[in-house]
Amino acid sequence: MRLTVTDADIARKAVELGVIEEGEPVPPARRSRIVAALLQEQVSRGNRAADVPVAQSIVVQPGGGVEIDGRPFPWVIQAETIEVTLDPSGSGLVRLTIPTLSVQITKPESENPS
């Protein structure tokens, strides 16, 4: 994973942390700590993403049929809104639109108040 930080990121984080007001320069003595905070955020996001299951293969067929790891994806998919982004390595990202009449989002038991 490649970590990057821009001057704009540093200024935004400095304002967020209350080190400076919007438009002020970041004090050089504080810059390294702000960069460290930004890099830690990026590492944390990367670790959370690594915990998400990743399909070994996705096959999108004409007409909207989708197979994930060799098994048919069992829901209706709107074929005209499938987005595929490919990396030169052959890996990629697929966004699907799945129409539904109801959506339920639940929290893990560890997040529910006791």
Side-chain angles (χ1 to χ4, degrees):
M1 169 183 7
R2 185 172 191 176
L3 304 175
T4 57
V5 177
T6 65
D7 287 335
D9 294 333
I10 295 168
R12 178 191 47 77
K13 188 66 173 179
V15 170
E16 181 183 311
L17 294 172
V19 174
I20 62 170
E21 296 293 323
E22 187 76 37
E24 293 180 352
V26 177
R30 297 282 183 100
R31 190 174 175 85
S32 63
R33 287 187 181 183
I34 295 167
V35 169
L38 286 165
L39 293 175
Q40 183 60 43
E41 285 177 1
Q42 288 182 20
V43 168
S44 294
R45 275 194 302 269
N47 289 342
R48 276 182 293 205
D51 294 340
V52 173
V54 176
Q56 296 302 304
S57 73
I58 297 175
V59 178
V60 179
Q61 301 164 344
V66 175
E67 289 184 357
I68 299 177
D69 293 338
R71 294 184 306 228
F73 196 67
W75 295 285
V76 178
I77 297 172
Q78 292 183 341
E80 64 275 1
T81 55
I82 294 175
E83 295 176 35
V84 179
T85 304
L86 294 176
D87 188 84
S89 70
S91 64
L93 174 70
V94 177
R95 287 182 200 244
L96 306 171
T97 300
I98 304 169
T100 182
L101 297 175
S102 173
V103 174
Q104 181 179 9
I105 300 172
T106 60
K107 290 184 180 181
E109 289 296 320
S110 61
E111 292 184 24
N112 290 329
S114 300

XYZ file of all heavy atoms in Angstrom:
851
model
N 0.858 -1.173 0.000
C 0.000 0.000 0.000
C 0.900 1.231 0.000
O 1.826 1.335 0.785
C -0.880 -0.011 1.258
C -1.589 1.268 1.451
S -2.620 1.523 2.928
C -2.404 0.171 3.975
N 0.590 2.148 -0.894
C 1.372 3.377 -0.988
C 0.657 4.472 -0.212
O -0.524 4.722 -0.417
C 1.517 3.768 -2.437
C 2.404 4.949 -2.601
C 2.684 5.217 -4.033
N 3.758 6.197 -4.057
C 4.326 6.618 -5.124
N 3.956 6.148 -6.279
N 5.276 7.509 -5.072
N 1.369 5.117 0.700
C 0.807 6.195 1.505
C 1.291 7.522 0.952
O 2.473 7.703 0.697
C 1.241 6.043 2.961
C 0.906 4.703 3.621
C 1.494 4.632 5.013
C -0.582 4.483 3.659
N 0.355 8.453 0.766
C 0.715 9.776 0.257
C -0.023 10.853 1.036
O -1.144 10.633 1.502
C 0.355 9.931 -1.232
O -1.032 9.692 -1.398
C 1.135 8.964 -2.098
N 0.636 11.976 1.165
C 0.055 13.125 1.864
C 0.411 14.374 1.067
O 1.562 14.566 0.693
C 0.622 13.246 3.298
C 0.091 14.468 3.989
C 0.315 12.004 4.113
N -0.590 15.218 0.801
C -0.345 16.469 0.079
C -0.334 17.637 1.061
O -0.785 17.510 2.209
C -1.431 16.715 -0.984
O -2.678 16.916 -0.308
C -1.548 15.542 -1.946
N 0.149 18.774 0.604
C 0.124 19.983 1.438
C -1.312 20.354 1.803
O -1.578 20.796 2.922
C 0.805 21.157 0.722
C 2.321 21.005 0.682
O 2.880 20.306 1.555
O 2.951 21.591 -0.217
N -2.244 20.143 0.860
C -3.655 20.430 1.139
C -4.187 19.511 2.243
O -4.940 19.949 3.114
C -4.480 20.279 -0.131
N -3.770 18.227 2.212
C -4.174 17.290 3.276
C -3.655 17.756 4.633
O -4.364 17.713 5.637
C -3.624 15.881 3.010
C -4.206 15.216 1.791
O -5.351 15.544 1.413
O -3.501 14.358 1.207
N -2.408 18.196 4.651
C -1.783 18.648 5.905
C -2.512 19.874 6.445
O -2.835 19.944 7.633
C -0.283 18.941 5.690
C 0.441 17.632 5.324
C 0.332 19.575 6.930
C 1.849 17.826 4.805
N -2.810 20.830 5.564
C -3.518 22.042 6.000
C -4.912 21.702 6.515
O -5.340 22.190 7.564
C -3.599 23.038 4.848
N -5.631 20.821 5.797
C -6.978 20.418 6.221
C -6.941 19.747 7.589
O -7.727 20.050 8.466
C -7.575 19.451 5.187
C -8.952 18.929 5.555
C -9.401 17.783 4.663
N -8.412 16.732 4.438
C -8.105 15.782 5.336
N -8.683 15.736 6.494
N -7.203 14.854 5.035
N -5.983 18.829 7.782
C -5.884 18.114 9.062
C -5.483 19.069 10.185
O -5.967 18.945 11.312
C -4.883 16.954 8.942
C -4.859 16.057 10.143
C -6.175 15.332 10.266
C -6.134 14.295 11.354
N -7.419 13.607 11.502
N -4.620 20.031 9.893
C -4.198 21.004 10.908
C -5.389 21.832 11.379
O -5.537 22.101 12.573
C -3.094 21.898 10.362
N -6.261 22.209 10.444
C -7.477 22.946 10.812
C -8.389 22.038 11.634
O -8.917 22.442 12.671
C -8.206 23.472 9.548
C -9.581 24.012 9.888
C -7.362 24.541 8.857
N -8.556 20.794 11.186
C -9.409 19.825 11.887
C -8.932 19.598 13.327
O -9.742 19.478 14.240
C -9.386 18.499 11.120
C -10.232 17.408 11.697
C -10.083 16.121 10.900
O -10.177 16.159 9.659
O -9.858 15.069 11.530
N -7.615 19.570 13.507
C -7.050 19.351 14.841
C -6.993 20.625 15.685
O -6.639 20.578 16.857
C -5.641 18.751 14.721
C -5.565 17.344 14.136
C -4.115 16.956 13.889
C -6.248 16.341 15.045
N -7.305 21.760 15.074
C -7.290 23.021 15.804
C -5.907 23.622 15.963
O -5.702 24.514 16.783
N -4.955 23.153 15.161
C -3.584 23.668 15.223
C -3.512 25.050 14.592
O -2.778 25.921 15.059
C -2.606 22.694 14.530
C -1.206 23.274 14.443
C -2.594 21.351 15.255
N -4.283 25.249 13.510
C -4.317 26.529 12.808
C -5.753 26.867 12.457
O -6.639 26.018 12.539
C -3.469 26.506 11.509
C -4.028 25.469 10.519
C -2.001 26.290 11.805
C -3.432 25.521 9.124
N -5.980 28.099 12.049
C -7.260 28.522 11.487
C -7.172 28.390 9.976
O -6.074 28.424 9.402
C -7.552 29.988 11.864
C -7.735 30.224 13.347
C -8.984 29.566 13.904
O -10.013 29.542 13.199
O -8.927 29.049 15.037
N -8.318 28.243 9.331
C -8.371 28.126 7.868
C -7.572 29.243 7.216
O -7.721 30.412 7.566
C -9.837 28.194 7.407
C -10.032 27.917 5.937
C -9.914 26.447 5.592
O -10.350 25.612 6.392
O -9.378 26.169 4.506
N -6.682 28.888 6.262
C -5.896 29.869 5.523
C -4.546 30.198 6.140
O -3.707 30.804 5.488
N -4.310 29.822 7.399
C -3.013 30.065 8.031
C -2.006 29.010 7.579
O -2.389 27.893 7.248
C -3.134 29.998 9.561
C -3.944 31.101 10.178
C -4.023 30.959 11.696
O -3.587 29.929 12.244
O -4.540 31.886 12.330
N -0.707 29.348 7.604
C 0.301 28.336 7.270
C 0.472 27.355 8.445
O 0.259 27.704 9.603
C 1.576 29.158 7.045
C 1.362 30.414 7.830
C -0.125 30.665 7.825
N 0.864 26.137 8.122
C 1.115 25.124 9.154
C 2.505 25.374 9.725
O 3.482 25.470 8.979
C 1.038 23.705 8.554
C 1.364 22.662 9.606
C -0.333 23.450 7.943
N 2.626 25.506 11.050
C 3.949 25.710 11.647
C 4.869 24.523 11.360
O 4.462 23.367 11.536
C 3.665 25.805 13.148
C 2.198 26.072 13.271
C 1.569 25.487 12.055
N 6.086 24.779 10.889
C 7.009 23.678 10.578
C 7.208 22.714 11.745
O 7.342 21.511 11.539
C 8.317 24.394 10.220
C 7.893 25.753 9.762
C 6.667 26.091 10.588
N 7.194 23.211 12.974
C 7.411 22.355 14.143
C 6.256 21.379 14.359
O 6.420 20.355 15.011
C 7.606 23.212 15.394
N 5.078 21.666 13.812
C 3.900 20.804 13.978
C 3.652 19.897 12.775
O 2.869 18.956 12.840
C 2.650 21.666 14.198
C 2.678 22.507 15.438
C 2.368 21.616 16.633
N 2.315 22.351 17.866
C 1.206 22.742 18.465
N 0.047 22.475 17.923
N 1.261 23.383 19.595
N 4.303 20.198 11.669
C 4.041 19.508 10.407
C 4.228 17.981 10.503
O 3.392 17.222 10.035
C 4.949 20.091 9.326
C 4.618 19.646 7.940
C 5.511 20.407 6.935
N 5.302 19.938 5.603
C 4.351 20.350 4.786
N 3.525 21.298 5.173
N 4.231 19.857 3.573
N 5.309 17.532 11.131
C 5.576 16.090 11.177
C 4.514 15.339 11.978
O 4.136 14.223 11.629
C 6.968 15.800 11.733
O 7.058 16.250 13.065
N 4.008 15.942 13.036
C 2.961 15.285 13.826
C 1.652 15.201 13.043
O 0.923 14.223 13.139
C 2.736 16.019 15.137
C 3.871 15.794 16.099
C 3.567 16.371 17.423
N 4.705 16.149 18.317
C 4.741 16.491 19.559
N 3.700 17.097 20.104
N 5.796 16.244 20.298
N 1.364 16.234 12.273
C 0.147 16.227 11.456
C 0.270 15.172 10.358
O -0.673 14.411 10.106
C -0.127 17.631 10.882
C -0.437 18.589 12.041
C -1.259 17.605 9.866
C -0.410 20.045 11.668
N 1.440 15.092 9.727
C 1.673 14.069 8.704
C 1.541 12.681 9.321
O 0.923 11.784 8.745
C 3.057 14.258 8.033
C 3.413 13.059 7.169
C 3.085 15.538 7.212
N 2.078 12.478 10.509
C 1.969 11.182 11.185
C 0.505 10.816 11.432
O 0.101 9.663 11.249
C 2.745 11.205 12.495
N -0.307 11.785 11.833
C -1.738 11.531 12.065
C -2.428 11.140 10.756
O -3.242 10.205 10.731
C -2.401 12.763 12.671
N -2.102 11.827 9.667
C -2.688 11.499 8.369
C -2.277 10.109 7.898
O -3.109 9.334 7.408
C -2.277 12.536 7.320
C -2.965 13.892 7.429
C -2.219 14.935 6.599
C -4.404 13.788 6.983
N -1.014 9.770 8.058
C -0.539 8.452 7.638
C -1.177 7.348 8.470
O -1.533 6.292 7.951
C 0.989 8.382 7.706
C 1.722 9.276 6.704
C 3.223 9.220 6.933
C 1.375 8.905 5.276
N -1.358 7.591 9.757
C -2.015 6.611 10.614
C -3.453 6.370 10.161
O -3.928 5.247 10.145
C -1.990 7.067 12.077
C -2.604 6.056 13.027
C -1.898 4.718 13.000
O -0.681 4.646 12.985
N -2.664 3.650 12.973
N -4.151 7.441 9.770
C -5.510 7.293 9.239
C -5.510 6.428 7.982
O -6.367 5.562 7.824
C -6.110 8.662 8.898
C -6.531 9.468 10.078
C -7.056 10.844 9.675
O -7.102 11.151 8.455
O -7.415 11.603 10.573
N -4.550 6.662 7.101
C -4.482 5.886 5.862
C -4.205 4.410 6.151
O -4.815 3.531 5.550
C -3.406 6.444 4.932
C -3.767 7.766 4.310
C -2.696 8.273 3.359
O -1.867 7.519 2.870
N -2.712 9.569 3.101
N -3.309 4.145 7.090
C -2.994 2.764 7.453
C -4.224 2.095 8.059
O -4.556 0.961 7.731
C -1.798 2.711 8.423
C -1.648 1.331 9.039
C -0.520 3.113 7.702
N -4.937 2.814 8.928
C -6.140 2.258 9.555
C -7.196 1.936 8.508
O -7.834 0.890 8.562
C -6.719 3.238 10.573
O -5.833 3.393 11.652
N -7.393 2.835 7.547
C -8.353 2.582 6.469
C -7.927 1.372 5.658
O -8.743 0.534 5.292
C -8.483 3.795 5.549
C -9.463 4.826 6.030
C -9.785 5.811 4.923
N -8.625 6.503 4.400
C -8.161 7.660 4.860
N -8.770 8.275 5.839
N -7.103 8.219 4.322
N -6.649 1.243 5.398
C -6.139 0.105 4.636
C -6.335 -1.195 5.379
O -6.693 -2.213 4.779
N -6.141 -1.195 6.695
C -6.341 -2.412 7.485
C -7.801 -2.817 7.504
O -8.119 -3.991 7.423
C -5.834 -2.217 8.918
C -4.326 -2.157 8.974
O -3.636 -2.566 8.055
N -3.801 -1.632 10.071
N -8.713 -1.840 7.630
C -10.143 -2.159 7.601
C -10.524 -2.744 6.257
O -11.289 -3.689 6.168
C -10.988 -0.924 7.887
C -11.162 -0.664 9.369
C -12.035 0.509 9.522
N -11.246 1.622 8.990
C -11.366 2.872 9.289
N -12.300 3.272 10.063
N -10.591 3.791 8.785
N -9.975 -2.180 5.173
C -10.281 -2.689 3.840
C -9.755 -4.109 3.681
O -10.368 -4.931 3.005
C -9.681 -1.772 2.775
N -8.631 -4.432 4.325
C -8.062 -5.769 4.214
C -8.936 -6.807 4.905
O -8.870 -7.988 4.579
C -6.658 -5.775 4.803
N -9.765 -6.396 5.872
C -10.641 -7.319 6.578
C -11.876 -7.693 5.769
O -12.576 -8.635 6.116
C -11.097 -6.705 7.909
C -9.938 -6.515 8.875
O -8.900 -7.175 8.693
O -10.088 -5.709 9.808
N -12.157 -6.966 4.699
C -13.342 -7.203 3.885
C -13.064 -8.385 2.955
O -12.005 -8.448 2.335
C -13.683 -5.937 3.059
C -14.801 -6.201 2.093
C -14.004 -4.792 3.990
N -14.002 -9.335 2.834
C -13.776 -10.445 1.910
C -13.611 -9.935 0.486
O -14.293 -9.005 0.068
C -15.052 -11.285 2.027
C -15.800 -10.771 3.193
C -15.280 -9.414 3.519
N -12.717 -10.550 -0.262
C -12.449 -10.163 -1.642
C -12.710 -11.370 -2.531
O -12.205 -12.467 -2.266
C -10.990 -9.690 -1.809
C -10.674 -9.385 -3.264
C -10.721 -8.487 -0.933
N -13.508 -11.172 -3.566
C -13.791 -12.252 -4.512
C -12.524 -12.598 -5.280
O -11.712 -11.734 -5.589
C -14.893 -11.820 -5.474
N -12.362 -13.868 -5.590
C -11.235 -14.289 -6.415
C -11.482 -13.951 -7.876
O -10.553 -13.634 -8.601
C -10.997 -15.792 -6.250
C -10.584 -16.181 -4.842
C -9.327 -15.463 -4.390
O -8.298 -15.533 -5.050
N -9.415 -14.757 -3.283
N -12.755 -14.030 -8.307
C -13.077 -13.660 -9.684
C -14.536 -13.250 -9.787
O -15.393 -13.778 -9.087
C -12.799 -14.810 -10.653
O -13.775 -15.821 -10.499
N -14.789 -12.287 -10.653
C -16.145 -11.845 -10.973
C -16.268 -11.892 -12.485
O -15.418 -11.353 -13.195
C -16.427 -10.412 -10.473
C -16.324 -10.352 -8.948
C -17.801 -9.934 -10.937
C -16.458 -8.956 -8.372
N -17.314 -12.560 -12.982
C -17.565 -12.651 -14.416
C -18.881 -11.953 -14.694
O -19.925 -12.339 -14.163
C -17.632 -14.127 -14.881
C -17.951 -14.191 -16.371
C -16.328 -14.849 -14.576
N -18.836 -10.873 -15.493
C -20.033 -10.143 -15.887
C -20.350 -10.571 -17.314
O -19.533 -10.411 -18.220
C -19.814 -8.613 -15.817
C -21.059 -7.878 -16.258
C -19.398 -8.203 -14.403
N -21.548 -11.136 -17.506
C -21.946 -11.679 -18.799
C -22.893 -10.721 -19.505
O -23.551 -9.909 -18.852
C -22.622 -13.039 -18.591
C -21.714 -14.024 -17.902
C -22.470 -15.226 -17.345
O -23.684 -15.201 -17.215
N -21.726 -16.265 -17.024
N -22.992 -10.815 -20.830
C -23.952 -9.978 -21.553
C -25.356 -10.181 -20.987
O -25.735 -11.285 -20.626
C -23.864 -10.503 -22.995
C -22.512 -11.138 -23.075
C -22.237 -11.692 -21.707
N -26.103 -9.106 -20.853
C -27.450 -9.190 -20.307
C -27.502 -9.044 -18.797
O -28.566 -9.085 -18.209
N -26.361 -8.899 -18.135
C -26.362 -8.625 -16.707
C -26.145 -9.812 -15.807
O -26.181 -9.678 -14.598
N -25.908 -11.011 -16.348
C -25.598 -12.147 -15.495
C -24.247 -11.945 -14.828
O -23.308 -11.460 -15.453
N -24.155 -12.292 -13.543
C -22.908 -12.094 -12.810
C -22.586 -13.369 -12.042
O -23.453 -13.936 -11.371
C -23.020 -10.909 -11.831
C -21.760 -10.782 -10.986
C -23.280 -9.612 -12.579
N -21.354 -13.830 -12.158
C -20.876 -14.944 -11.350
C -19.758 -14.445 -10.462
O -18.858 -13.742 -10.921
C -20.347 -16.073 -12.232
C -21.406 -16.824 -12.980
C -20.836 -17.996 -13.768
O -19.600 -18.192 -13.779
O -21.637 -18.708 -14.380
N -19.836 -14.799 -9.188
C -18.789 -14.442 -8.232
C -18.184 -15.738 -7.731
O -18.886 -16.592 -7.189
C -19.350 -13.597 -7.078
C -19.934 -12.299 -7.640
C -18.259 -13.319 -6.042
C -20.589 -11.411 -6.630
N -16.877 -15.884 -7.951
C -16.157 -17.099 -7.592
C -16.855 -18.343 -8.136
O -17.005 -19.363 -7.469
C -15.959 -17.195 -6.078
C -15.019 -16.116 -5.557
O -14.216 -15.590 -6.349
O -15.085 -15.799 -4.353
N -17.341 -18.255 -9.386
C -17.938 -19.390 -10.064
C -19.389 -19.671 -9.723
O -19.988 -20.594 -10.259
N -19.988 -18.871 -8.827
C -21.396 -19.080 -8.449
C -22.222 -17.914 -8.954
O -21.805 -16.750 -8.850
C -21.520 -19.178 -6.928
C -20.831 -20.421 -6.367
C -21.069 -20.533 -4.892
N -20.674 -19.287 -4.229
C -19.914 -19.226 -3.153
N -19.482 -20.316 -2.581
N -19.600 -18.078 -2.624
N -23.438 -18.197 -9.475
C -24.294 -17.102 -9.953
C -24.668 -16.168 -8.808
O -24.988 -16.617 -7.717
C -25.533 -17.811 -10.483
C -25.188 -19.246 -10.559
C -24.036 -19.501 -9.656
N -24.575 -14.882 -9.081
C -25.002 -13.894 -8.087
C -26.515 -13.952 -8.058
O -27.168 -13.797 -9.084
C -24.491 -12.509 -8.497
C -24.537 -11.495 -7.394
C -23.722 -11.629 -6.284
C -25.393 -10.413 -7.464
C -23.753 -10.687 -5.271
C -25.434 -9.468 -6.461
C -24.614 -9.600 -5.353
N -27.124 -14.182 -6.884
C -28.543 -14.557 -6.839
C -29.569 -13.441 -6.904
O -30.740 -13.723 -6.750
C -28.638 -15.266 -5.480
C -27.586 -14.614 -4.656
C -26.485 -14.272 -5.603
N -29.186 -12.193 -7.110
C -30.183 -11.123 -7.123
C -30.265 -10.468 -8.491
O -29.360 -10.602 -9.312
C -29.863 -10.062 -6.073
C -29.958 -10.594 -4.698
C -31.105 -10.867 -4.010
C -28.890 -10.935 -3.844
N -30.799 -11.368 -2.766
C -29.443 -11.413 -2.635
C -27.519 -10.906 -3.969
C -28.674 -11.845 -1.579
C -26.748 -11.326 -2.905
C -27.332 -11.790 -1.729
N -31.312 -9.731 -8.692
C -31.504 -8.990 -9.935
C -30.495 -7.844 -9.976
O -30.326 -7.112 -9.010
C -32.939 -8.419 -9.995
C -33.142 -7.598 -11.250
C -33.954 -9.533 -9.914
N -29.841 -7.699 -11.098
C -28.847 -6.635 -11.260
C -29.227 -5.830 -12.489
O -29.604 -6.390 -13.517
C -27.434 -7.223 -11.441
C -27.038 -7.986 -10.175
C -26.433 -6.138 -11.773
C -25.764 -8.760 -10.316
N -29.160 -4.516 -12.394
C -29.439 -3.657 -13.542
C -28.181 -3.568 -14.394
O -27.220 -2.892 -14.047
C -29.884 -2.276 -13.084
C -31.234 -2.279 -12.410
C -31.672 -0.882 -12.029
O -30.884 0.029 -11.946
N -32.963 -0.749 -11.797
N -28.191 -4.286 -15.509
C -27.006 -4.418 -16.350
C -26.493 -3.079 -16.868
O -25.291 -2.892 -17.025
C -27.302 -5.354 -17.518
N -27.388 -2.137 -17.127
C -26.933 -0.874 -17.714
C -26.168 0.003 -16.718
O -25.566 0.997 -17.091
C -28.100 -0.087 -18.321
C -29.151 0.378 -17.333
C -30.213 -0.687 -17.049
O -30.150 -1.788 -17.595
O -31.107 -0.398 -16.261
N -26.169 -0.368 -15.441
C -25.441 0.433 -14.454
C -24.305 -0.350 -13.804
O -23.939 -0.096 -12.679
C -26.398 0.972 -13.370
O -27.092 -0.120 -12.789
C -27.378 1.966 -13.942
N -23.728 -1.305 -14.531
C -22.547 -2.016 -14.041
C -21.325 -1.178 -14.412
O -21.150 -0.793 -15.567
C -22.440 -3.422 -14.654
C -23.603 -4.287 -14.167
C -21.106 -4.065 -14.304
C -23.646 -5.669 -14.810
N -20.502 -0.855 -13.430
C -19.261 -0.113 -13.670
C -18.092 -1.029 -13.370
O -18.074 -1.685 -12.335
C -19.165 1.098 -12.738
C -20.217 2.148 -12.950
C -20.096 3.252 -11.914
O -18.963 3.599 -11.509
O -21.140 3.761 -11.503
N -17.134 -1.098 -14.275
C -15.958 -1.933 -14.079
C -14.722 -1.052 -14.199
O -14.568 -0.324 -15.178
C -15.898 -3.067 -15.120
C -14.653 -3.918 -14.919
C -17.162 -3.925 -15.060
N -13.853 -1.109 -13.193
C -12.589 -0.389 -13.217
C -11.479 -1.430 -13.132
O -11.465 -2.237 -12.203
C -12.474 0.570 -12.018
O -13.603 1.445 -12.021
C -11.203 1.385 -12.084
N -10.587 -1.445 -14.111
C -9.529 -2.441 -14.139
C -8.179 -1.828 -13.836
O -7.852 -0.744 -14.308
C -9.468 -3.120 -15.509
C -10.676 -3.971 -15.888
C -10.525 -4.503 -17.305
C -10.860 -5.110 -14.906
N -7.391 -2.544 -13.062
C -6.019 -2.185 -12.760
C -5.144 -2.887 -13.795
O -5.515 -3.961 -14.285
C -5.697 -2.683 -11.342
C -4.362 -2.192 -10.865
O -4.280 -1.063 -10.347
O -3.392 -2.960 -11.012
N -4.003 -2.325 -14.180
C -3.138 -3.004 -15.153
C -2.747 -4.423 -14.726
O -2.465 -5.267 -15.565
C -1.908 -2.099 -15.243
C -2.419 -0.747 -14.867
C -3.495 -1.000 -13.833
N -2.780 -4.718 -13.431
C -2.414 -6.056 -12.962
C -3.492 -7.087 -13.273
O -3.279 -8.283 -13.130
C -2.185 -6.027 -11.450
O -3.419 -5.832 -10.768
N -4.697 -6.626 -13.664
C -5.799 -7.536 -13.925
C -6.834 -7.531 -12.818
O -7.944 -7.999 -12.997
N -6.486 -7.016 -11.649
C -7.474 -6.893 -10.580
C -8.341 -5.677 -10.874
O -8.036 -4.891 -11.762
C -6.796 -6.752 -9.220
O -6.042 -5.551 -9.181
N -9.414 -5.514 -10.143
C -10.270 -4.369 -10.419
C -11.374 -4.202 -9.416
O -11.389 -4.822 -8.364
N -12.313 -3.348 -9.763
C -13.448 -3.017 -8.916
C -14.690 -3.052 -9.786
O -14.687 -2.524 -10.895
C -13.269 -1.611 -8.320
C -14.412 -1.040 -7.527
C -14.572 -1.793 -6.208
C -14.168 0.433 -7.249
N -15.755 -3.711 -9.293
C -17.010 -3.785 -10.019
C -18.100 -3.192 -9.135
O -18.239 -3.567 -7.978
C -17.376 -5.248 -10.374
C -18.728 -5.305 -11.075
C -16.299 -5.871 -11.244
N -18.851 -2.219 -9.660
C -19.999 -1.640 -8.951
C -21.262 -2.105 -9.643
O -21.388 -1.984 -10.854
C -19.953 -0.117 -8.986
C -18.926 0.475 -8.118
C -19.040 1.990 -8.230
N -17.809 2.573 -7.806
C -17.706 3.350 -6.752
N -18.762 3.676 -6.055
N -16.550 3.840 -6.398
N -22.188 -2.623 -8.839
C -23.444 -3.135 -9.362
C -24.596 -2.370 -8.739
O -24.510 -1.926 -7.593
C -23.605 -4.621 -9.005
C -22.460 -5.541 -9.400
C -22.666 -6.915 -8.783
C -22.380 -5.647 -10.907
N -25.677 -2.219 -9.485
C -26.899 -1.641 -8.947
C -27.887 -2.777 -8.748
O -28.199 -3.512 -9.685
C -27.483 -0.588 -9.902
O -26.511 0.445 -10.062
C -28.775 -0.014 -9.356
N -28.357 -2.924 -7.519
C -29.294 -3.993 -7.184
C -30.582 -3.343 -6.697
O -30.624 -2.764 -5.615
C -28.711 -4.910 -6.090
C -27.362 -5.451 -6.554
C -29.684 -6.026 -5.752
C -26.578 -6.152 -5.473
N -31.649 -3.400 -7.494
C -32.903 -2.791 -7.065
C -33.520 -3.599 -5.915
O -33.420 -4.816 -5.888
C -33.790 -2.848 -8.307
C -33.106 -3.705 -9.288
C -31.729 -3.963 -8.821
N -34.128 -2.903 -4.967
C -34.749 -3.567 -3.824
C -35.921 -2.751 -3.324
O -35.977 -1.542 -3.538
C -33.730 -3.791 -2.697
O -34.361 -4.486 -1.628
C -33.179 -2.476 -2.181
N -36.844 -3.403 -2.662
C -37.971 -2.712 -2.043
C -37.695 -2.401 -0.580
O -38.401 -1.621 0.040
C -39.244 -3.555 -2.162
C -39.699 -3.806 -3.597
C -40.905 -4.747 -3.603
C -40.034 -2.509 -4.294
N -36.653 -3.022 -0.015
C -36.349 -2.827 1.398
C -34.853 -3.022 1.625
O -34.248 -3.913 1.033
C -37.128 -3.845 2.237
O -36.743 -3.777 3.586
N -34.290 -2.191 2.477
C -32.883 -2.317 2.859
C -32.810 -2.290 4.372
O -33.459 -1.458 5.013
C -32.025 -1.153 2.288
C -30.610 -1.227 2.813
C -32.044 -1.167 0.781
N -32.040 -3.207 4.943
C -31.854 -3.226 6.391
C -30.362 -3.192 6.664
O -29.601 -3.977 6.102
C -32.471 -4.493 6.995
C -32.312 -4.546 8.490
C -32.963 -5.799 9.086
O -33.382 -6.696 8.375
N -33.030 -5.835 10.385
N -29.953 -2.274 7.517
C -28.548 -2.164 7.910
C -28.491 -2.468 9.395
O -29.177 -1.818 10.191
C -27.990 -0.762 7.606
C -28.102 -0.485 6.109
C -26.550 -0.651 8.097
C -27.765 0.925 5.707
N -27.699 -3.457 9.772
C -27.614 -3.844 11.181
C -26.210 -3.589 11.703
O -25.243 -3.584 10.938
C -27.967 -5.335 11.374
O -27.040 -6.121 10.616
C -29.383 -5.623 10.908
N -26.121 -3.358 12.984
C -24.828 -3.169 13.630
C -24.366 -4.495 14.206
O -25.192 -5.296 14.645
C -24.947 -2.175 14.789
C -25.188 -0.762 14.385
C -25.191 0.106 15.625
C -25.422 1.554 15.311
N -25.407 2.369 16.524
N -23.055 -4.723 14.247
C -22.555 -5.910 14.939
C -22.953 -5.831 16.419
O -23.110 -4.742 16.967
C -21.056 -5.822 14.774
C -20.816 -4.863 13.663
C -22.006 -3.948 13.632
N -23.073 -6.969 17.058
C -23.461 -7.018 18.469
C -22.534 -6.147 19.333
O -22.969 -5.531 20.291
C -23.435 -8.461 18.993
C -24.557 -9.308 18.444
C -25.931 -8.810 18.879
O -26.094 -8.405 20.045
O -26.833 -8.818 18.020
N -21.263 -6.059 18.974
C -20.316 -5.273 19.772
C -20.624 -3.786 19.769
O -20.190 -3.060 20.649
C -18.886 -5.505 19.278
O -18.771 -5.083 17.927
N -21.391 -3.300 18.776
C -21.726 -1.880 18.693
C -23.065 -1.556 19.309
O -23.408 -0.385 19.483
C -21.708 -1.417 17.237
C -20.337 -1.410 16.617
C -20.359 -0.849 15.207
O -21.275 -0.080 14.880
O -19.452 -1.196 14.438
N -23.884 -2.552 19.611
C -25.197 -2.300 20.197
C -25.058 -1.990 21.679
O -24.296 -2.654 22.380
C -26.121 -3.512 20.007
C -26.538 -3.689 18.566
O -26.658 -2.717 17.828
N -26.754 -4.928 18.152
N -25.789 -0.972 22.191
C -25.697 -0.651 23.606
C -26.308 -1.777 24.451
O -27.258 -2.413 24.056
C -26.521 0.627 23.769
C -27.334 0.741 22.515
C -26.675 -0.092 21.461
N -25.707 -2.018 25.594
C -26.192 -3.103 26.461
C -27.244 -2.629 27.414
O -27.287 -1.566 27.890
C -25.020 -3.673 27.262
O -24.065 -4.178 26.364
